[in-house]
Amino acid sequence: MQAKIKKMKKSFIYIFISVMLISSSGCKKWLDVNTNPVVPQFPNVSSVFPTQIAAYPRGLQYDGRYVSRYIQNFATYTTSAANKNWDNMGYVAASDANGDIWRQAYIGFGRNLKYIIETSIKNQQWDYAGAGLAMQAAIYQYTTDYHNDIIFKEAFSDNQTAFRFDDQETVYNGIDSICRLAITYLSNTNYSPNQDRLSKGDYVYNGDAEKWLKYAYGILARNFHRITNKPSYNADSVIYYCDKSLASTSDDFLVAFDATRNDDANFFGTYRNNLSDHRQTNFIVRLLDGTTLTGVPASVVTANNRDPRMRHLLSASNDTTNGNGGYRGVDPGIGDPYSALNNWWTYTAGTTNYNNARKKVGSVWGDTTYANPTASTFSTTYQKYLFGNKAAMPVMTASEIDFMKAEAAYRKGDKNTAYAAYIKGINDHFDFINRASFPRGGTPFYSINPITTAEKNAYMAGNNVKQNATSLTLSDIMLQKYIALWGWGFFETWVDLRRYHYTDLDVETGVQVYTGFALPVTLASENNGKPVYRARPRYNSEYVWNMEELRRLGGLNPDYHTYECWFSQP
């Protein structure tokens, strides 16, 4: 044993002497990676910023697969227990499913945004600093709204292996401060003359600091509007921030995709095949076919009262005999009753499946399309709405801001302002669908042809839309907002539904605010009848390395995901 130790010591001395000889013999540059021009240790922020824009959709779309089923944008068409789990507002233990926003906050954006912010402040690149801070505020807002308590004050602290979570009220106040700092820097025009401007690397707004300012104000509006159930809620502040935020579809925050390889293709497109078992629900179908908003069965709703947006957002089945053009949906936890049947074109004589099989709910990628037609192929043939390889991913839109302002004004008692914002929100969503050009050559959202002026005017004058401020209700505002956010604004919609505890009644009308929304009938088998209110922190970081902190919060309890968040409590 002693001989072995001596041998190890001798080897170490040889290695040490060899390194010293190398460092003193003209090979210093070989070891000094900080001066390597090919792999710079401190790159210009203009080369880092585009990677963060490109990464923006990751957490939102990855985790959107699950939250979209909590809010009934989608539900599974199958009847397997594993697939129905999310429809039932459940979770998967010991899994990173539902953990990608957490990953995005602390790994994807994490130190990259920190580097952009600190470096651009040092170099007086105020537009980069402001945009980076706005994105940092946004990812913290998503993360806390998703998980409630999160790591905030100790985030990115060095020399720690465990991190303390901060309560949601603390995080909200911190987001407020970050947004105000972002606004300060974006308003500063005294740039360093020797540094890159935001136009180099920004493919959302092409370096337009004014539009980044609007985005920052939109984050503030979200932050202030979350707490509608608290006495401290201030509708005037929300309206003020909305008025300074996105005003039209030209202000919409959209992330484009080139769709030349896997990592720059839309996560919801056919190539990446991540929505293969997702189907539109009956809840969204009834909002668009006129059933919910007019209060009559789809079979007797007149054509003017069927939403012309339906053909762009949803997929029709082969059988169009149901009175609304063949648009059908599934209910959460139930699946599609026709999904196990043969497709209509495989009908054989003597069977009874011919008519029923035609009623299957189509996939997100096209009418009468029941499976992904072009997986692993960069095709633009199959695309419905946002579900295409080159379709842009929205992060914030003017219509969302409109409906936020409408709700705030309604709560304040200013129905005239609320009504004007409500009408503008619907119109802005029509404009959103009809938008013809996108960054980086993205494909339009509308299918074949945009919605005509005549179609829009007929809808706006119909029974789905209130015709005056006096008749406007909270349900009108929130249901139209649900439509405008359908297919992308999963986390904002989940905030809204939780603020109204899914099935709260409007105290003014006595009607459920989200009219027609029902908790899954199978909820009892998953959560003992309790709806979901938060996602568990990411398993492979917190449950593996930060267990004691989770134990303090109750995160080891099987019903932790049903604990109500701070923002929605009185």
Side-chain angles (χ1 to χ4, degrees):
M1 184 65 165
Q2 291 293 326
K4 187 174 182 181
I5 292 173
K6 287 181 180 179
K7 186 176 181 181
M8 290 174 65
K9 287 183 177 178
K10 189 174 182 180
S11 299
F12 175 78
I13 291 170
Y14 287 157
I15 292 169
F16 178 76
I17 292 172
S18 298
V19 171
M20 292 300 291
L21 287 171
I22 290 172
S23 64
S24 62
S25 63
C27 295
K28 183 178 181 181
K29 291 183 179 180
W30 183 80
L31 293 172
D32 192 355
V33 296
N34 291 333
T35 61
N36 186 340
V38 178
V39 186
Q41 188 75 5
F42 302 105
N44 194 304
V45 294
S46 63
S47 65
V48 181
F49 193 78
T51 67
Q52 301 309 286
I53 293 289
Y56 217 140
R58 169 160 179 147
L60 302 182
Q61 292 187 307
Y62 273 55
D63 285 352
R65 290 173 296 174
Y66 312 113
V67 175
S68 64
R69 290 156 71 169
Y70 289 164
I71 64 175
Q72 296 181 29
N73 271 196
F74 300 113
T76 183
Y77 75 94
T78 70
T79 56
S80 71
N83 280 332
K84 291 195 297 182
N85 174 61
W86 301 106
D87 293 5
N88 293 337
M89 297 187 166
Y91 71 99
V92 176
S95 166
D96 276 353
N98 251 7
D100 222 80
I101 283 183
W102 191 278
R103 180 190 181 280
Q104 192 73 348
Y106 301 109
I107 301 174
F109 278 174
R111 288 190 176 273
N112 291 313
L113 281 183
K114 189 172 185 286
Y115 176 79
I116 289 171
I117 294 163
E118 292 176 350
T119 303
S120 54
I121 291 173
K122 176 183 176 182
N123 295 335
Q124 298 181 21
Q125 295 170 282
W126 311 124
D127 45 6
Y128 276 109
L133 283 162
M135 292 174 68
Q136 186 181 69
I139 194 62
Y140 276 133
Q141 188 73 63
Y142 283 120
T143 308
T144 187
D145 290 339
Y146 197 35
H147 298 286
N148 197 57
D149 295 356
I150 63 170
I151 302 166
F152 185 71
K153 291 180 180 178
E154 294 185 359
F156 317 117
S157 295
D158 295 327
N159 303 316
Q160 287 185 223
T161 57
F163 299 84
R164 185 173 179 84
F165 285 50
D166 294 292
D167 62 80
Q168 191 167 67
E169 184 176 11
T170 298
V171 179
Y172 266 49
N173 290 334
I175 293 166
D176 184 337
S177 298
I178 295 171
C179 279
R180 294 181 194 283
L181 192 57
I183 289 166
T184 298
Y185 284 125
L186 287 166
S187 302
N188 190 341
T189 59
N190 187 25
Y191 299 99
S192 169
N194 302 315
Q195 298 290 339
D196 290 335
R197 294 289 301 278
L198 186 57
S199 55
K200 183 178 181 181
D202 171 20
Y203 61 87
V204 174
Y205 291 135
N206 296 315
D208 189 336
E210 289 297 319
K211 292 191 175 183
W212 278 99
L213 268 171
K214 292 180 178 182
Y215 177 58
Y217 278 114
I219 300 166
L220 270 178
R222 285 176 174 175
N223 182 270
F224 272 62
H225 192 54
R226 299 290 196 251
I227 57 171
T228 51
N229 294 332
K230 298 185 184 299
S232 58
Y233 175 72
N234 190 327
D236 286 330
S237 292
V238 175
I239 294 168
Y240 173 80
Y241 295 133
C242 286
D243 284 343
K244 296 180 79 67
S245 187
L246 315 188
S248 69
T249 52
S250 64
D251 295 331
D252 289 349
F253 194 120
L254 304 174
V255 178
F257 300 91
D258 288 338
T260 58
R261 60 184 186 277
N262 183 80
D263 289 347
D264 72 1
N266 190 326
F267 189 74
F268 288 163
T270 55
Y271 182 89
R272 300 188 68 173
N273 194 32
N274 289 304
L275 296 179
S276 60
D277 63 349
H278 287 57
R279 296 293 184 270
Q280 64 208 26
T281 62
N282 278 315
F283 181 65
I284 184 62
V285 170
R286 290 165 185 157
L287 284 175
L288 293 171
D289 72 8
T291 305
T292 299
L293 291 172
T294 63
V296 297
S299 58
V300 297
V301 172
T302 62
N304 284 353
N305 288 326
R306 296 193 188 110
D307 197 324
R309 293 173 290 182
M310 182 164 63
R311 73 173 184 268
H312 299 289
L313 276 64
L314 305 184
S315 295
S317 299
N318 288 94
D319 188 332
T320 61
T321 61
N322 64 337
N324 73 0
Y327 293 94
R328 293 176 169 82
V330 297
D331 290 317
I334 303 300
D336 185 348
Y338 305 114
S339 65
L341 300 176
N342 294 327
N343 291 327
W344 66 271
W345 52 84
T346 61
Y347 166 76
T348 54
T351 70
T352 60
N353 288 349
Y354 182 82
N355 290 324
N356 284 341
R358 293 165 60 90
K359 299 176 183 178
K360 289 166 56 176
V361 179
S363 75
V364 299
W365 295 298
D367 294 337
T368 66
T369 301
Y370 304 106
N372 188 338
T374 59
S376 301
T377 301
F378 289 121
S379 169
T380 57
T381 301
Y382 290 92
Q383 176 184 325
K384 267 280 183 170
Y385 196 38
L386 306 169
F387 315 115
N389 296 321
K390 283 181 69 68
M393 168 65 185
V395 173
M396 181 184 288
T397 65
S399 59
E400 175 199 336
I401 300 300
D402 296 330
F403 290 119
M404 204 183 311
K405 178 180 177 179
E407 185 189 0
Y410 187 94
R411 286 176 169 276
K412 181 186 173 183
D414 184 355
K415 283 200 171 184
N416 288 328
T417 298
Y419 183 72
Y422 157 79
I423 292 297
K424 184 176 182 297
I426 301 172
N427 279 310
D428 277 345
H429 188 237
F430 273 90
D431 291 344
F432 173 79
I433 294 172
N434 280 354
R435 180 169 174 158
S437 62
F438 294 86
R440 306 175 83 89
T443 52
F445 296 149
Y446 52 79
S447 303
I448 304 176
N449 296 311
I451 300 169
T452 67
T453 301
E455 288 174 322
K456 184 180 79 168
N457 289 345
Y459 177 78
M460 297 299 290
N463 294 328
N464 283 286
V465 179
K466 290 298 170 62
Q467 300 303 307
N468 54 67
T470 304
S471 59
L472 184 68
T473 68
L474 265 179
S475 291
D476 295 317
I477 295 168
M478 301 314 298
L479 293 175
Q480 286 289 350
K481 183 180 182 183
Y482 185 98
I483 294 170
L485 295 179
W486 185 87
W488 69 272
F490 312 118
F491 303 95
E492 189 66 21
T493 296
W494 196 29
V495 166
D496 290 341
L497 277 164
R498 286 177 290 168
R499 285 194 293 114
Y500 288 104
H501 305 97
Y502 297 100
T503 58
D504 280 356
L505 303 182
D506 179 357
V507 295
E508 187 173 313
T509 64
V511 175
Q512 184 173 307
V513 173
Y514 281 90
T515 310
F517 187 95
L519 294 172
V521 296
T522 50
L523 188 62
S525 64
E526 190 66 41
N527 296 341
N528 293 320
K530 295 183 292 186
V532 63
Y533 274 98
R534 63 176 70 182
R536 293 167 181 268
R538 183 172 180 262
Y539 176 78
N540 273 313
S541 57
E542 306 316 302
Y543 283 89
V544 174
W545 303 104
N546 215 14
M547 185 74 77
E548 289 307 310
E549 184 64 1
L550 287 176
R551 183 174 284 110
R552 179 181 71 85
L553 297 171
L556 305 188
N557 296 337
D559 62 346
Y560 180 70
H561 61 299
T562 68
Y563 293 4
E564 188 173 353
C565 294
W566 169 84
F567 75 79
S568 63
Q569 297 177 27

